[in-house]
Amino acid sequence: MYAKSLIVRMSSLEYPSELIKMMTKGTRGSVPAASVIGFLLFSVALMPFIPITLLIGWFLLQLLFLALRVVTADKLDSALDENRRDVKRWLKYNLTLTVMGSILWGLTSWISALYAPEAYTYFVLAILLTLTSGATSTIGAVFHAYAAFTIPILLLISTSYLYIGGEVNYLISVVTIMAMIILISNGYNYYLRLKKMVALSSQLKNFNEALEKRVQKEVNKNIEKDIQLMHQARLAQMGEMVSMIAHQWRQPLHIISSAATDLDLKIQFGTIDDETCLKNIDTINNLTQHLSSTIDDFRDFFKVTKEMEVTTIDEIVSVTLKIVKEYVENKNIIINTDLNCSDKFDSYPNELKQVLLNLLKNAEDVLLERGIENARIMIKSYRENGMHCLEVCDNAGGIEAEVKEHIFDAYFTTKEEGQGTGLGLYMSKRIINEHCGGTLSVENSIEGACFKIMLPR
């Protein structure tokens, strides 16, 4: 039963494409080189003894079969690459040509036995054994090819030494047959090891592909999650901005209403004069332009920019304070600035403004929550070690150690339920670290917390 299954396996030409490609690579590379070296050695050593016509005929046939082996190896590669059905047909052609080439090499042992002195037959034997042993690394990936090359050579060597006769030559003949059995056994084991390695490599490749798909799936999920977090954070900021704009609009709208009412009354009582009319109209126009500018600032503040723009730290601070300073200071919080960083650099200014707005809003919230007298927020910009630095500090007493450890985590908040999303500082750190290539950190100073942004030039 075992013998039958072995015969079935040996008759099958089912080989992994990786092994066939290893064989065809050897056929195109190492085999021609080894054949040329072997032919030169054989010709130089035996030319004085062998008829020149026989030597030329043997060489031409060897060259023909070698060229055809290379051609069929190319065809075999093409069939594999294109996943065609004629792979086995081209493999059979290649194996047939391998057998023919092997027979030609084996005949050199007979030629030397017939024409050359006995001592030269041992030189030919060394050449043929070298070619046979080298076949393991060149075409051993396909066991049929290795057997097709090894068996004919060794059989012809064995029979040629039987023909020569003599005790030593009989022993060489027997040893050659034993060597053939050993080489075929080792060649088969070599093929099985390669086949196992290819199978493991294929499994590893499939595992890596599955892992890559899984990683990509998780990455996409995280990207979607980040987009949702960013959207939530932006909505929260937009709500705060609307409150600030409503506060900024309240007084101008009151003045516009008063000017319009004054004009209306003067018209009704007939006391309107040109000077009062022009004055009130100018007031209304100026305040209307101010309100329009506020809307433009709000729109630009949340405009999404995919390309970097030239900006400065001081400009980012000035634009942000233009929107929020009055709103914050109306809550009895003083904002002081010490701006010393007007160097231009490429970044995402709108995202930096949103980060600064979030830091200012957090400082405002903690100052109001703790009821700090003489509440202050200090904004400083400067250059340090080739970096653009921006600090936002308060005098609210600092951050507790257990809070500081998680302050940049998503959904972490110290505010009461419904009063904070826990996304502001998380998204601010993501923006600075990942989008802008900088760092956002926090430390406690003598008076309170100090958030520090460092951006590359």
Side-chain angles (χ1 to χ4, degrees):
M1 193 69 180
Y2 175 77
K4 184 179 179 180
S5 64
L6 180 62
I7 292 172
V8 171
R9 288 201 304 269
M10 292 296 292
S11 61
S12 173
L13 291 178
E14 297 292 339
Y15 284 94
S17 59
E18 293 88 351
L19 294 183
I20 297 177
K21 282 184 172 291
M22 289 173 65
M23 185 269 289
T24 56
K25 182 180 179 182
T27 301
R28 290 194 302 269
S30 301
V31 169
S35 298
V36 169
I37 294 172
F39 170 74
L40 290 175
L41 292 173
F42 176 71
S43 301
V44 171
L46 300 181
M47 188 177 292
F49 311 106
I50 301 174
I52 190 66
T53 53
L54 179 62
L55 187 61
I56 292 174
W58 175 87
F59 170 72
L60 291 177
L61 284 174
Q62 186 69 270
L63 187 63
L64 173 64
F65 288 126
L66 182 61
L68 290 174
R69 283 179 68 187
V70 173
V71 170
T72 54
D74 289 335
K75 295 290 185 181
L76 193 52
D77 272 346
S78 298
L80 288 170
D81 292 338
E82 297 171 10
N83 198 24
R84 301 202 309 263
R85 295 182 178 180
D86 56 349
V87 171
K88 286 187 179 180
R89 177 163 63 90
W90 285 109
L91 181 57
K92 288 178 181 178
Y93 290 161
N94 189 271
L95 294 176
T96 302
L97 292 167
T98 301
V99 171
M100 299 305 294
S102 174
I103 292 173
L104 283 175
W105 277 114
L107 287 176
T108 59
S109 182
W110 272 95
I111 293 172
S112 63
L114 293 171
Y115 293 100
E118 185 175 334
Y120 284 87
T121 61
Y122 303 131
F123 178 73
V124 173
L125 175 63
I127 295 174
L128 295 179
L129 290 178
T130 302
L131 289 173
T132 304
S133 61
T136 305
S137 59
T138 54
I139 59 176
V142 174
F143 177 70
H144 284 80
Y146 178 72
F149 184 79
T150 303
I151 292 174
I153 286 182
L154 295 178
L155 285 176
L156 287 168
I157 290 174
S158 179
T159 55
S160 68
Y161 278 93
L162 284 175
Y163 170 79
I164 295 172
E167 185 176 342
V168 174
N169 293 328
Y170 288 151
L171 182 60
I172 291 176
S173 177
V174 173
V175 170
T176 302
I177 295 298
M178 293 176 62
M180 180 184 72
I181 296 172
I182 294 172
L183 286 173
I184 291 300
S185 176
N186 289 339
Y188 187 66
N189 289 331
Y190 175 76
Y191 153 70
L192 290 179
R193 289 196 299 271
L194 283 180
K195 184 179 180 181
K196 185 176 181 181
M197 289 174 61
V198 167
L200 290 174
S201 176
S202 178
Q203 291 177 8
L204 182 61
K205 181 180 179 182
N206 292 336
F207 175 77
N208 287 336
E209 288 177 353
L211 182 61
E212 185 177 348
K213 289 180 180 179
R214 185 174 177 182
V215 169
Q216 187 60 46
K217 183 179 179 180
E218 292 299 321
V219 168
N220 291 337
K221 287 171 63 177
N222 287 335
I223 290 174
E224 291 177 5
K225 179 182 176 182
D226 286 346
I227 291 174
Q228 291 177 357
L229 292 177
M230 181 76 79
H231 184 63
Q232 292 178 35
R234 286 172 64 85
L235 286 177
Q237 277 196 332
M238 288 178 71
E240 293 168 356
M241 287 286 289
V242 168
S243 297
M244 294 177 187
I245 288 174
H247 177 82
Q248 288 191 29
W249 275 27
R250 187 174 292 111
Q251 185 177 4
L253 287 174
H254 177 71
I255 296 173
I256 289 173
S257 177
S258 297
T261 301
D262 182 55
L263 284 175
D264 183 49
L265 290 173
K266 288 185 181 297
I267 291 171
Q268 289 183 24
F269 288 106
T271 59
I272 188 71
D273 59 86
D274 291 345
E275 183 180 353
T276 301
C277 182
L278 290 173
K279 180 181 177 182
N280 286 353
I281 289 174
D282 285 342
T283 299
I284 293 172
N285 283 335
N286 291 335
L287 290 174
T288 302
Q289 291 177 13
H290 171 70
L291 296 179
S292 176
S293 175
T294 304
I295 289 295
D296 290 339
D297 291 339
F298 176 75
R299 182 187 59 202
D300 293 340
F301 202 89
F302 288 100
K303 186 185 296 180
V304 177
T305 54
K306 296 182 179 180
E307 300 294 332
M308 285 190 169
E309 299 177 7
V310 177
T311 188
T312 69
I313 292 291
D314 293 356
E315 180 184 356
I316 289 167
V317 174
S318 298
V319 172
T320 305
L321 289 182
K322 182 179 178 182
I323 297 175
V324 305
K325 187 173 183 179
E326 182 181 346
Y327 176 80
V328 174
E329 290 187 339
N330 277 329
K331 296 185 178 182
N332 296 319
I333 299 173
I334 298 173
I335 297 180
N336 296 321
T337 60
D338 181 13
L339 306 180
N340 300 288
C341 190
S342 58
D343 293 348
K344 294 182 179 180
F345 65 102
D346 292 327
S347 191
Y348 300 95
N350 284 349
E351 293 190 356
L352 293 175
K353 293 172 193 174
Q354 291 169 33
V355 171
L356 178 57
L357 173 64
N358 186 65
L359 297 180
L360 290 171
K361 190 68 176 66
N362 280 354
E364 173 204 321
D365 290 343
V366 72
L367 288 167
L368 294 176
E369 179 185 328
R370 296 180 181 179
I372 303 297
E373 294 184 5
N374 300 319
R376 296 189 311 277
I377 298 175
M378 182 67 185
I379 303 175
K380 294 170 60 178
S381 68
Y382 55 93
R383 293 180 296 276
E384 180 180 89
N385 298 325
M387 304 285 282
H388 300 284
C389 301
L390 177 64
E391 290 185 4
V392 178
C393 306
D394 59 56
N395 64 336
I399 306 171
E400 295 83 357
E402 59 272 16
V403 173
K404 182 181 174 185
E405 183 179 351
H406 301 285
I407 199 165
F408 293 112
D409 294 349
Y411 298 111
F412 179 80
T413 180
T414 58
K415 299 174 183 177
E416 295 181 5
E417 186 175 352
Q419 294 187 3
T421 63
L423 295 174
L425 288 176
Y426 169 74
M427 293 310 304
S428 294
K429 191 171 182 66
R430 290 289 303 273
I431 288 171
I432 297 300
N433 288 26
E434 298 180 16
H435 293 198
C436 301
T439 59
L440 172 60
S441 59
V442 61
E443 296 293 340
N444 284 327
S445 64
I446 298 176
E447 293 185 317
C450 191
F451 288 84
K452 184 177 182 179
I453 298 172
M454 298 184 70
L455 298 168
R457 289 190 177 182

